[in-house]
Amino acid sequence: MADEKKQNPLEKIANSQVWKSIFRTGIPVTRRQRMMAILNNVFLHLHPVRLPKHAVKIKYTWCMGGLSFFLFLVLTISGILLMFYYRPTVEYAYTDIIDLTEQVPLGVMREIHRWGAHAMVIAVWLHMFRVFMTGSYKPPREFNWSVGVLLMVITMFLSFTGYLLPWDQLAIWAVTVGTNMARAHPFIGHEGPGASLLAIGDINLVHAGSDIRFALLGGRFVGEATLLRFYVLHCIGVPFIAMILMAVHFWRVRKDGGISGPL
Amino acid sequence: MIDIIKHFINVISNPTISFTLLTVLAPLLFPPTDWFEKYHFKFGFNRLWKKEGAYFMFSCITLFLIAGYTDEFAIKILTKPDNIPIVLMFYLIPLTLWLAMNQAYNNDERLARGEAPLEQNDPKDKVLVWPDLVYIELICLLLFMVFLIVWSVYIGAPLEEPANPAATPNPSKAPWYFLGLQEMLVYFDPWIAGIIFPIFIMGGLMAIPYIDTNKKGQGYYSFKERRIAIFIFMYGWLALWVYLIIVGTFFRGPNWNFYGPFELWDAHKVEALSNVNLSEYLWVKAWNQGLPENILAREFLGFVVVILYFVVPPAILAKTYLKEFYLKIGSTRYSTIMFFGLAMLSLPIKMYLRWTINLKYIIAIPEWFFNI
Ligand code: HEM
């Protein structure tokens, strides 16, 4: 090869055909390469190429939106690892949780998953607080704020469905207290106002065996069916919705003119 | 000495006192009008958002936590693994509050001088995302991952005895982020505290961009230009959400009775409860009769009160004090603001009615599960 200059090993890798086939730009040194580094990468491409100066400052965004998303990824990965060991049945759930810490190599996955979940709830709240304080919900970002509110509710619901899975006293009673609210839902909870109106003659349509709480729990109290329901919601149902909403959220951050700033 | 302070904190933690303090302080901390602003500066509350204020808040919280971790009763709640997020929030909420208000005040001063806010910069002078942003993200991500791993290694996730549907713990608490809602159950029935309020919170939050027509303060921290909006948000966020979570977590023990942070959770503590419905006040106490048979006749006053509450103040305000505002934003926006605002205010109002005249329900129709 004609290149006489000695290359150090890193440069050699970066100039190899394999590397270049993956990262087309090579090492981003020039301004053009740096722009291409963002444009040519499907993940980095979430970002614009250039940003106003204030937008990259920690004191402006506090990194909270990014941290929420990062935590979502951490939770997805640690959650997948947990699913290898955990069986959502009354018989096994509790002992599987014990085994997770005691038998499984790298037994901190459960901790990472649980503390990460708590941290995500806080991060999302603080993100919302930041967005409020910088007035970033104002036009043209109204819709994205609303998507954000839904994301916050979804985040808390994700955390709540996960709370039941260890199947210990803490879990079932917290979930019992939480889901007891559903029985008071107007019209569709059997102890809610208006429920008795939904009747055909003497037959009540909404009763303890048919109301919204029953649908949520899969029974009249928190039991085997509830565990399975919450497991499916927690691992598939709710994350699925969260992912769609996040895609919309990120897309809209870009489409609404990128990160907010003084007009 | 330290015991006296702890006792003092126990006493003022009682929601009747601490919530009142918070409510009185809120407009002084985040002054929504010129009148409050005068006292805000007179009492030096603005200094909270300067450097010295940060040191002050940090030391107060740290001292409180030190007192807590050395106290035989407080330590039990503080070290409960699932309460650790709230201990973190003790720092994070004031920190973020300070970060926002400090920058807001700096910008307010700049705007008052006719300068642009600090976030303003030359539109042509942009930075490249690679490397300026991706590196920051990488560093944030690594630091946070280290933090999370250390947290996970040192503090095990909680696991209590296996689930036993026959043994109800006392108190039974929802996960911490729902404890604000659970605390509202003291004052409202489940259909309101558990269903209607959450729906209103969501709806109210989603409505914010559509009802706040103030164009100023977009994309930079500021206070003065948006002071009413910020004041309302702060009251909801700090007093009606974060504060209630703290009460629910730290101050509620067996039977959901109040316990100070430095107090033993004595399950035998009894609190005399003799709450009275509005209808009983009317028929039995004022008119000396029995309650009428007919449900609607019995509760008519409650219905009148509730309907008037949502109709009269907005109507009067639209004609007087808020006339210009009403004309500017139009009736749809105006009624939305009033509706969500009054719904939000109903919580503190009900709290005070409970504390002062032991009012149980304004409308009490247990036959239909319709209690307000
Ligand atoms: C799972 C939850 C969420 C994730 C992962 C997320 C992620 C993000 C990210 C990465 C950004 C870019 C700017 C930043 O980091 O601050 C952003 C911006 C934004 N978010 Fe979220 N967010 C979430 C929840 C929320 C919530 C709860 C709200 C408000 C109710 C919200 C409203 C907004 C708005 C209005 C913007 C544009 C801000 C601007 O342009 O300055 N998001 N979000």
Side-chain angles (χ1 to χ4, degrees):
Chain A
M1 318 266 289
D3 199 349
E4 290 299 309
K5 232 176 53 195
K6 261 255 164 115
Q7 291 185 327
N8 73 30
L10 280 180
E11 281 169 337
K12 253 194 197 141
I13 295 174
N15 285 325
S16 67
Q17 187 189 357
V18 176
W19 184 272
K20 279 196 155 169
S21 70
I22 306 174
F23 303 102
R24 296 207 173 272
T25 0
I27 301 175
V29 188
T30 65
R31 188 177 166 85
R32 202 191 119 75
Q33 278 174 324
R34 288 176 169 178
M35 292 166 111
M36 294 317 268
I38 300 293
L39 288 176
N40 280 344
N41 183 309
V42 66
F43 302 109
L44 292 180
H45 180 241
L46 265 178
H47 294 303
V49 170
R50 298 178 311 145
L51 278 171
K53 270 188 178 147
H54 76 275
V56 299
K57 294 219 170 101
I58 300 224
K59 74 178 194 212
Y60 186 68
T61 63
W62 310 341
C63 261
M64 279 303 160
L67 208 56
S68 309
F69 181 51
F70 174 62
L71 276 164
F72 183 76
L73 296 180
V74 169
L75 290 167
T76 310
I77 295 168
S78 54
I80 291 173
L81 292 176
L82 292 177
M83 283 173 79
F84 288 149
Y85 298 98
Y86 174 85
R87 287 163 290 178
T89 61
V90 168
E91 194 181 354
Y92 295 123
Y94 184 76
T95 45
D96 284 351
I97 292 284
I98 295 183
D99 286 354
L100 268 172
T101 356
E102 297 191 347
Q103 313 293 339
V104 175
L106 283 183
V108 299
M109 271 313 139
R110 183 171 168 236
E111 275 73 15
I112 292 196
H113 197 73
R114 192 176 186 104
W115 301 142
H118 287 328
M120 181 167 168
V121 172
I122 299 181
V124 172
W125 290 358
L126 295 180
H127 171 58
M128 173 164 116
F129 181 59
R130 183 299 277 181
V131 171
F132 182 85
M133 289 306 287
T134 54
S136 305
Y137 58 84
K138 301 192 175 197
R141 298 186 179 76
E142 315 98 303
F143 178 69
N144 214 16
W145 165 273
S146 308
V147 174
V149 174
L150 292 179
L151 269 170
M152 178 179 70
V153 176
I154 288 286
T155 305
M156 282 156 64
F157 191 59
L158 251 180
S159 189
F160 181 65
T161 47
Y163 217 83
L164 181 67
L165 304 185
W167 204 247
D168 61 344
Q169 281 289 74
L170 196 61
I172 68 157
W173 290 104
V175 169
T176 304
V177 170
T179 51
N180 268 345
M181 301 294 129
R183 82 167 98 216
H185 196 299
F187 297 109
I188 50 177
H190 74 281
E191 284 178 7
S196 50
L197 296 177
L198 299 179
I200 301 175
D202 276 347
I203 307 162
N204 256 336
L205 293 182
V206 180
H207 52 79
S210 73
D211 68 345
I212 176 80
R213 181 168 176 274
F214 189 90
L216 194 62
L217 297 185
R220 284 162 202 260
F221 50 86
V222 177
E224 178 92 49
T226 318
L227 185 57
L228 184 59
R229 254 168 223 222
F230 273 46
Y231 177 75
V232 174
L233 284 176
H234 183 73
C235 301
I236 298 177
V238 192
F240 175 71
I241 301 172
M243 251 144 47
I244 294 176
L245 285 175
M246 277 187 207
V248 176
H249 195 61
F250 299 156
W251 163 262
R252 285 302 291 242
V253 172
R254 292 288 302 278
K255 289 292 142 183
D256 294 340
I259 197 87
S260 58
L263 296 171
Chain B
M1 180 61 195
I2 189 108
D3 283 333
I4 298 176
I5 298 179
K6 280 186 184 172
H7 185 71
F8 177 71
I9 295 184
N10 277 343
V11 173
I12 64 164
S13 300
N14 195 315
T16 47
I17 301 177
S18 51
F19 187 77
T20 307
L21 272 177
L22 210 62
T23 304
V24 173
L25 277 178
L28 290 170
L29 287 172
F30 312 104
T33 63
D34 287 338
W35 190 83
F36 282 112
E37 193 181 79
K38 204 172 77 203
Y39 289 97
H40 171 74
F41 284 106
K42 196 164 160 195
F43 297 143
F45 281 118
N46 59 319
R47 286 165 62 198
L48 269 182
W49 316 130
K50 301 207 172 111
K51 277 233 168 66
E52 66 237 49
Y55 296 133
F56 172 73
M57 290 194 280
F58 181 82
S59 348
C60 285
I61 298 160
T62 308
L63 282 178
F64 174 75
L65 287 182
I66 292 175
Y69 280 113
T70 52
D71 182 88
E72 54 176 325
F73 304 125
I75 193 168
K76 287 202 191 118
I77 319 174
L78 284 174
T79 49
K80 242 183 115 202
D82 264 1
N83 287 348
I84 288 173
I86 311 182
V87 176
L88 279 180
M89 275 180 28
F90 273 133
Y91 284 106
L92 285 173
I93 302 277
L95 175 73
T96 47
L97 189 61
W98 186 86
L99 270 175
M101 291 305 283
N102 176 268
Q103 297 183 73
Y105 271 46
N106 283 343
N107 275 341
D108 283 358
E109 279 168 24
R110 294 175 68 93
L111 291 166
R113 274 185 265 127
E115 295 168 27
L118 270 173
E119 285 86 348
Q120 187 85 33
N121 31 40
D122 183 3
K124 273 176 246 133
D125 184 25
K126 287 191 171 176
V127 291
L128 286 178
V129 165
W130 183 295
D132 288 283
L133 181 59
V134 282
Y135 272 58
I136 294 174
E137 285 176 343
L138 185 72
I139 293 167
C140 274
L141 184 157
L142 287 177
L143 285 180
F144 190 78
M145 206 57 224
V146 169
F147 166 74
L148 191 60
I149 290 175
V150 170
W151 182 6
S152 301
V153 168
Y154 281 98
I155 302 176
L159 190 65
E160 297 186 349
E161 282 102 68
N164 178 359
T168 316
N170 184 9
S172 296
K173 292 193 179 186
W176 62 269
Y177 38 83
F178 286 148
L179 284 185
L181 296 175
Q182 199 177 351
E183 175 64 19
M184 291 176 199
L185 280 177
V186 176
Y187 309 100
F188 282 106
D189 265 18
W191 75 277
I192 296 191
I195 309 283
I196 300 294
F197 273 168
I199 292 176
F200 281 8
I201 296 172
M202 269 171 72
L205 283 172
M206 286 165 84
I208 288 178
Y210 303 96
I211 53 186
D212 177 6
T213 52
N214 179 358
K215 296 221 168 45
K216 289 192 188 134
Q218 199 229 82
Y220 55 94
Y221 290 96
S222 67
F223 179 77
K224 185 117 195 219
E225 302 170 318
R226 309 171 48 210
R227 55 188 181 177
I228 296 178
I230 293 184
F231 167 73
I232 298 175
F233 189 85
M234 286 292 188
Y235 190 70
W237 164 238
L238 295 175
L240 300 182
W241 188 250
V242 175
Y243 167 81
L244 288 185
I245 288 179
I246 290 178
V247 172
T249 316
F250 292 99
F251 305 158
R252 292 295 180 183
N255 308 324
W256 211 256
N257 281 334
F258 167 77
Y259 294 84
F262 305 110
E263 190 179 335
L264 170 73
W265 279 15
D266 173 9
H268 302 293
K269 178 170 178 173
V270 269
E271 275 183 11
L273 279 184
S274 51
N275 293 330
V276 184
N277 294 328
L278 185 62
S279 45
E280 286 158 357
Y281 268 116
L282 179 76
W283 294 97
V284 184
K285 298 214 168 160
W287 291 351
N288 267 322
Q289 316 181 2
L291 291 172
E293 284 285 311
N294 185 310
I295 294 178
L296 292 177
R298 186 184 77 203
E299 301 299 331
F300 83 93
L301 183 63
F303 280 105
V304 171
V305 168
V306 171
I307 293 171
L308 289 186
Y309 174 73
F310 278 102
V311 175
V312 172
I316 294 182
L317 285 172
K319 290 256 174 305
T320 56
Y321 188 61
L322 294 180
K323 192 166 177 183
E324 269 173 44
F325 178 68
Y326 171 72
L327 291 175
K328 200 178 102 203
I329 66 169
S331 57
T332 314
R333 287 204 174 89
Y334 180 80
S335 21
T336 317
I337 296 181
M338 285 295 154
F339 176 72
F340 283 119
L342 288 168
M344 177 171 152
L345 255 190
S346 70
L347 177 63
I349 290 178
K350 186 83 193 279
M351 289 163 84
Y352 280 105
L353 287 176
R354 178 67 57 82
W355 296 333
T356 49
I357 60 169
N358 287 326
L359 182 77
K360 192 166 180 202
Y361 295 124
I362 297 169
I363 301 177
I365 312 183
E367 297 90 336
W368 302 344
F369 302 109
F370 190 80
N371 301 316
I372 294 183

